[in-house]
Amino acid sequence: TSELLTPLGKHLAHMPVDARIGKMLLFGALLGCLDPILTIAAAMSGRPLFVSPKDAKAEADAAKRRLSAPGKSDHLTMAGAYSAWWRAGHGGAQRRFCEENFLSQQALEGVQASRLDYAAVLADMGFVPSSYLGNMRRTGAGGGDADRNATTGRVVKAALVAGFYPQVVRVQHPETRFVQTAGGTVEKEGEGRKMKYFCRDIGRVF
């Protein structure tokens, strides 16, 4: 018997992107969090947004922490960094923002172009109205129903997981411990080696 494509597979077959990126974009549109998903998909397909010079690694790490999103999500941090870069203005203002925050101007310009490309594909397929693409060109964001949950981190993460599934793992953090300091009780930083990773199909993987 010949294999048949699922409805999702038929849509993905018409998208000129990796299947995981395609799924992420479709779920981003369906769940109403398309704007950050456009950024994340574009950033994952291009060069790194953050730069880390050997002679300024500590400063670069501090800049990345300043732009970090709640929940320790690198993906949401990329979306936030792009958004902050866009809001910085144009031309010299954006370049200064990149220098101050150890970001790549070329990478961010690449993300900007890819966001428009991905949005155009979704508009051609009917997942967003053509006005969404027009709004992006004029204001940098499409808005409307496709972005109704764009600032809700849990919904954005749901679109990410849907795109990567089944290539996802569950992370089990070590038990929270506290230490007494002169300023009071503070949470002790966990050891990375004590973290455990589980896959649904085969159990613990690391």
Side-chain angles (χ1 to χ4, degrees):
T1 59
S2 60
E3 294 185 4
L4 298 176
L5 286 174
T6 64
L8 174 61
K10 290 178 180 178
H11 288 305
L12 293 175
H14 290 91
M15 301 181 73
V17 296
D18 177 82
R20 291 172 300 175
I21 297 294
K23 282 197 294 181
M24 192 190 309
L25 291 168
L26 293 178
F27 279 104
L30 293 171
L31 295 176
C33 58
L34 183 56
D35 186 77
I37 290 296
L38 286 171
T39 300
I40 294 167
M44 289 176 60
S45 303
R47 59 173 56 185
L49 299 190
F50 290 91
V51 295
S52 184
K54 290 183 179 179
D55 58 345
K57 192 174 185 307
E59 293 89 338
D61 289 344
K64 187 173 183 179
R65 285 195 296 272
R66 285 197 303 271
L67 293 171
S68 293
K72 301 179 181 179
S73 169
D74 287 342
H75 295 97
L76 294 184
T77 296
M78 290 190 293
Y82 174 83
S83 180
W85 171 78
W86 173 264
R87 293 194 306 270
H90 296 284
Q94 287 181 331
R95 284 191 289 274
R96 285 193 297 274
F97 180 83
C98 287
E99 291 171 359
E100 294 168 359
N101 292 283
F102 293 86
L103 291 163
S104 167
Q105 175 76 12
Q106 285 183 314
L108 287 162
E109 289 174 348
V111 167
Q112 183 179 7
S114 294
R115 276 167 50 87
L116 288 169
D117 291 341
Y118 292 156
V121 170
L122 292 171
D124 287 343
M125 296 173 66
F127 280 89
V128 294
S130 58
S131 59
Y132 187 93
L133 188 59
N135 289 340
M136 283 186 67
R137 293 194 174 109
R138 287 191 299 273
T139 68
D145 191 57
D147 286 336
R148 64 189 184 277
N149 295 313
T151 59
T152 306
R154 287 181 180 272
V155 179
V156 179
K157 289 179 181 179
L160 282 169
V161 172
F164 281 112
Y165 188 84
Q167 295 177 310
V168 294
V169 295
R170 176 175 59 85
V171 181
Q172 181 176 308
H173 294 270
E175 182 181 350
T176 302
R177 297 182 181 278
F178 298 89
V179 293
Q180 189 70 37
T181 68
T185 303
V186 297
E187 183 177 338
K188 184 179 180 181
E189 187 173 344
E191 297 181 50
R193 61 187 179 85
K194 292 185 177 180
M195 295 177 68
K196 300 176 182 178
Y197 301 84
F198 297 86
C199 177
R200 179 177 180 179
D201 296 332
I202 60 176
R204 185 176 177 182
V205 294
F206 187 75

